[in-house]
Amino acid sequence: MGQPPADTSGLLEVVRDLGCLQLDPIGVVARSHQLVLFSRVGPYDLAHLDQLLWQERSLFEYWAHCASIVLTEDYPLYSPMMRAYPSGDSVYRQRAREWIAKNQELRRYILNRLRREGPLLSRDLEEDGLYPKAWVSTGWTSGRNISRMLDFLWIGGKIMVAGREGIQKRWDLTERVLPEWTPRERLPEREVVRRAAQRSLRALGVATPRQIQYHFTRGRYPNLNRALADLEAEGRIKRVEIRDDGSTWPGEWYIHTDDWSLITNHSITQSLNHWEPRTTLLSPFDNLICDRKRTQQLFNFDYTMEIYVPKHKRKYGYYVLPILHSDRFIGRVDPEMDRERGALKVNAVYAEPDAPKAAGGAVAGAIEDLAAFLGAREIRYNRRRVPAVWKHHLL
């Protein structure tokens, strides 16, 4: 029940609990997946994560609810999407099929280069002389033919990320990336949904069908209601009521029976009486808050990421980290890591209206932990943007 150790075993335990870690290139503080792990284990050596990814291969990069780090032991939950891609009726899938069909030469070129010379960085691949039909979109991928084909081959399971150079991906053929012990059984769709729904529910704790559908392998739960009914009939999950101030929340709520046994186990319940709450900072993409509606409902915490909001319209800041204190969100921090000077700049700290004054020391400790994780030699606060309730502890 305690905090996982800050080593490879602890990091793997966290990923097993969460199911996946969302990838995002923004590094104003640190990469999101690194912060998600930090929030659970505290400061840790990034080499431990690299070991799990690139040496032990216990983890790999693929599409969960978005581009993510996922468990190799869960490979059978992802291989159906790999085999089926890019089938589907959506306009995007139809465009993808047409574009791939018109660019088979580019596809063969990439696969042949990787087979002969891989692993290779994206920038090592050139398309001179191939004259592919340009990928046209309204987004940043427009005209980026190599990048688009690499993405299609990745989602289709033909290639995988074999390493990274900074944020640059190093690509290789899938058969050379996955370890020999990778489970490769082909599960029926119904069994894939059963397993994925259980992993989603266990990561959430308690959840409605909509929340299960929105989590983990988001949107890939065909006939979810039938799967939940089967799991309930088998005693794998059970329905619960959530009561708050005398009223019962609407909707169907489920909990996994393995987690229900933790709640009802007397010895574990006794140990929870001696539980020491922690205070930590969460990534804007953290699994706990990626479903904003659920975050609002469970924690009464309204969180909106303002990365794409014009600066003059932002309420809190560019890359704001929620402050989780025990089981409550009590504020937000707007930090920025100045790597050239080795300083963690805290542009602002915000306290929720009901934030406890006594939490100020814990908030300062959480910011100090973040600085230690980032290797900052000092913390620089914007003295004008620190809440009065915690000023004594922060300045």
Side-chain angles (χ1 to χ4, degrees), residues 207-386:
T208 64
R210 186 205 72 81
Q211 292 168 358
I212 294 170
Q213 178 80 249
Y214 197 70
H215 205 67
F216 188 43
T217 52
R218 181 179 295 171
R220 304 206 298 275
Y221 298 91
N223 299 307
L224 175 62
N225 288 335
R226 183 181 68 180
L228 295 177
D230 290 345
L231 291 168
E232 185 178 15
E234 296 165 13
R236 300 301 300 159
I237 66 175
K238 65 180 299 175
R239 300 188 193 211
V240 293
E241 287 186 352
I242 299 181
R243 295 172 184 165
D244 184 25
D245 291 333
S247 63
T248 301
W249 285 8
E252 297 176 340
W253 292 83
Y254 293 94
I255 188 171
H256 199 277
T257 51
D258 289 348
D259 292 323
W260 178 255
S261 65
L262 293 178
I263 295 174
T264 56
N265 185 298
H266 179 71
S267 61
I268 295 177
T269 303
Q270 288 295 104
S271 69
L272 287 175
N273 293 333
H274 304 287
W275 173 58
E276 294 185 7
R278 296 177 55 236
T279 302
T280 192
L281 309 177
L282 301 187
S283 160
F285 302 97
D286 194 283
N287 302 51
L288 184 62
I289 60 172
C290 63
D291 185 341
R292 307 301 193 208
K293 290 182 179 179
R294 175 182 163 91
T295 303
Q296 176 72 54
Q297 183 177 17
L298 291 184
F299 299 100
N300 193 29
F301 185 68
D302 184 12
Y303 181 77
T304 301
M305 191 167 58
E306 298 181 299
I307 292 172
Y308 304 109
V309 176
K311 186 174 182 178
H312 68 281
K313 293 184 178 180
R314 291 177 194 147
K315 185 176 181 180
Y316 295 108
Y318 178 75
Y319 201 80
V320 173
L321 311 186
I323 305 171
L324 180 63
H325 177 66
S326 183
D327 58 355
R328 296 173 53 194
F329 285 103
I330 62 170
R332 311 156 203 252
V333 178
D334 177 18
E336 180 182 352
M337 182 59 191
D338 185 340
R339 291 176 175 81
E340 184 176 338
R341 294 178 174 81
L344 176 62
K345 296 165 57 180
V346 180
N347 300 316
V349 179
Y350 304 93
E352 292 293 287
D354 59 348
K357 183 176 182 179
V363 172
I367 295 173
E368 290 166 6
D369 284 345
L370 177 63
F373 173 58
L374 298 175
R377 296 186 296 274
E378 62 175 320
I379 302 173
R380 297 179 181 175
Y381 285 95
N382 180 344
R383 303 179 67 89
R384 295 174 298 175
R385 303 191 70 184
V386 172

Side-chain angles (χ1 to χ4, degrees), residues 30-309:
R31 299 285 302 284
S32 177
H33 64 280
Q34 297 168 353
L35 288 173
V36 172
L37 292 170
F38 156 77
S39 299
R40 275 74 177 177
V41 306
Y44 66 95
D45 189 340
L46 292 176
H48 293 322
L49 179 57
D50 286 342
Q51 181 178 336
L52 291 171
L53 278 163
W54 316 127
Q55 298 173 36
E56 297 179 15
R57 305 286 184 182
S58 300
L59 307 171
F60 69 98
E61 296 187 17
Y62 194 63
W63 198 269
H65 66 280
C66 59
S68 303
I69 292 172
V70 300
L71 292 157
T72 303
E73 62 198 47
D74 281 344
Y75 181 76
L77 303 184
Y78 302 104
S79 57
M81 181 176 180
M82 296 176 182
R83 292 192 298 269
Y85 192 82
S87 64
D89 298 328
S90 70
V91 173
Y92 179 83
R93 290 287 182 95
Q94 292 176 25
R95 287 187 59 223
R97 286 197 299 273
E98 293 171 2
W99 187 82
I100 292 171
K102 293 176 180 177
N103 287 283
Q104 284 298 304
E105 187 178 358
L106 177 60
R107 181 179 184 276
R108 288 192 295 269
Y109 164 76
I110 291 174
L111 292 174
N112 287 336
R113 282 287 306 276
L114 291 177
R115 190 172 290 110
R116 293 194 309 267
E117 306 170 42
L120 294 171
L121 294 168
S122 304
R123 64 171 178 252
D124 295 330
L125 295 161
E126 299 176 356
E127 59 189 60
D128 292 347
L130 293 175
Y131 305 109
K133 179 177 173 58
W135 175 264
V136 179
S137 76
T138 57
W140 66 272
T141 58
S142 186
R144 299 169 65 95
N145 300 309
I146 288 286
S147 295
R148 281 287 79 191
M149 188 61 82
L150 287 170
D151 283 344
F152 291 149
L153 290 170
W154 170 61
I155 298 175
K158 300 297 186 294
I159 65 175
M160 282 189 171
V161 180
R164 282 187 178 258
E165 189 175 298
I167 65 171
Q168 285 284 313
K169 299 170 185 173
R170 193 177 296 277
W171 297 98
D172 205 350
L173 301 177
T174 294
E175 58 262 31
R176 296 206 294 239
V177 176
L178 289 176
E180 291 184 5
W181 56 263
T182 304
R184 300 174 190 271
E185 67 267 35
R186 291 195 174 195
L187 301 174
E189 179 184 89
R190 191 167 184 171
E191 181 61 22
V192 171
V193 175
R194 282 166 50 88
R195 294 190 188 187
Q198 289 181 84
R199 183 168 283 287
S200 178
L201 178 57
R202 294 213 67 185
L204 292 166
V206 293
T208 64
R210 186 205 72 81
Q211 292 168 358
I212 294 170
Q213 178 80 249
Y214 197 70
H215 205 67
F216 188 43
T217 52
R218 181 179 295 171
R220 304 206 298 275
Y221 298 91
N223 299 307
L224 175 62
N225 288 335
R226 183 181 68 180
L228 295 177
D230 290 345
L231 291 168
E232 185 178 15
E234 296 165 13
R236 300 301 300 159
I237 66 175
K238 65 180 299 175
R239 300 188 193 211
V240 293
E241 287 186 352
I242 299 181
R243 295 172 184 165
D244 184 25
D245 291 333
S247 63
T248 301
W249 285 8
E252 297 176 340
W253 292 83
Y254 293 94
I255 188 171
H256 199 277
T257 51
D258 289 348
D259 292 323
W260 178 255
S261 65
L262 293 178
I263 295 174
T264 56
N265 185 298
H266 179 71
S267 61
I268 295 177
T269 303
Q270 288 295 104
S271 69
L272 287 175
N273 293 333
H274 304 287
W275 173 58
E276 294 185 7
R278 296 177 55 236
T279 302
T280 192
L281 309 177
L282 301 187
S283 160
F285 302 97
D286 194 283
N287 302 51
L288 184 62
I289 60 172
C290 63
D291 185 341
R292 307 301 193 208
K293 290 182 179 179
R294 175 182 163 91
T295 303
Q296 176 72 54
Q297 183 177 17
L298 291 184
F299 299 100
N300 193 29
F301 185 68
D302 184 12
Y303 181 77
T304 301
M305 191 167 58
E306 298 181 299
I307 292 172
Y308 304 109
V309 176

